[in-house]
Amino acid sequence: MGHRQREILCIDDDPQSLKVRGILLESMGYKVLSEPDAERGLHTFRNHDVDAVLMDYQMPGMSGGEAAVEMKRLRPDIPVLIMSALPWLPESAPKEAIDGFIQKGEPLGVLSDRIEKAIAEHPHELLNPSSDTAERFGPLVAQLKSTLRQRRKGTI
């Protein structure tokens, strides 16, 4: 089975930044989906199985912080990173919904390291089931394993 290319959703209201970031991320081996605002970014997030989100914080309409909150509500296992010209996140930023911060202009290696670290720290639920999922399906999986072992031994 082949290795699936990681998919990054980039959201930024500055078309030039969005284009340059897309080119840089593609050169690093990522598949990139780009959106010019948070509303369209949320639509794409709902309809694509992305590995991470990289978005601007200050955008007209819905901010990156507001979009991050909604994304975490929908799929808490997907890392959301904020990239901003600001040197730090505003005090009012929903830090519980933001998995990382990157200042625009950081070296490419910093961007790559932060994305990979965020993805590694947030494995998809299917690869690392939540305790709720394990509680619901754990007994079923145990029963299936037991049945298969018994069949192999010829006891059933």
Side-chain angles (χ1 to χ4, degrees), residues 13-86:
D13 63 311
D14 176 8
Q16 191 63 31
S17 291
L18 197 58
K19 183 176 184 172
V20 169
R21 194 165 308 117
I23 291 168
L24 288 172
L25 290 168
E26 286 174 355
S27 77
M28 295 162 49
Y30 296 105
K31 180 178 178 187
V32 179
L33 300 172
S34 298
E35 293 296 351
D37 59 57
E39 289 86 359
R40 284 186 255 190
L42 270 172
H43 177 78
T44 299
F45 183 81
R46 285 184 185 105
N47 294 297
H48 289 84
D49 185 26
V50 298
D51 294 291
V53 177
L54 181 61
M55 76 176 130
D56 190 16
Y57 189 79
Q58 293 181 313
M59 294 183 280
M62 180 182 280
S63 75
E66 293 166 321
V69 168
E70 180 62 13
M71 289 173 179
K72 286 297 185 176
R73 187 187 69 75
L74 294 168
R75 294 201 319 249
D77 58 319
I78 303 300
V80 176
L81 297 110
I82 295 294
M83 184 172 229
S84 180
L86 300 170

Side-chain angles (χ1 to χ4, degrees), residues 66-153:
E66 293 166 321
V69 168
E70 180 62 13
M71 289 173 179
K72 286 297 185 176
R73 187 187 69 75
L74 294 168
R75 294 201 319 249
D77 58 319
I78 303 300
V80 176
L81 297 110
I82 295 294
M83 184 172 229
S84 180
L86 300 170
W88 53 79
L89 280 172
E91 197 61 38
S92 62
K95 293 172 183 69
E96 71 283 352
I98 298 170
D99 299 298
F101 176 81
I102 304 159
Q103 188 174 8
K104 288 182 178 177
E106 290 274 12
L108 193 55
V110 171
L111 176 61
S112 174
D113 288 349
R114 297 231 175 107
I115 291 170
E116 285 302 314
K117 181 179 181 215
I119 291 171
E121 290 175 352
H122 294 83
H124 280 70
E125 187 173 332
L126 291 176
L127 298 176
N128 188 7
S130 68
S131 60
D132 182 51
T133 302
E135 284 176 23
R136 281 189 281 154
F137 296 108
L140 175 62
V141 171
Q143 181 61 44
L144 287 171
K145 285 181 180 179
S146 173
T147 301
L148 287 172
R149 274 193 300 272
Q150 291 172 355
R151 280 192 178 170
R152 277 191 217 123
K153 292 179 181 176

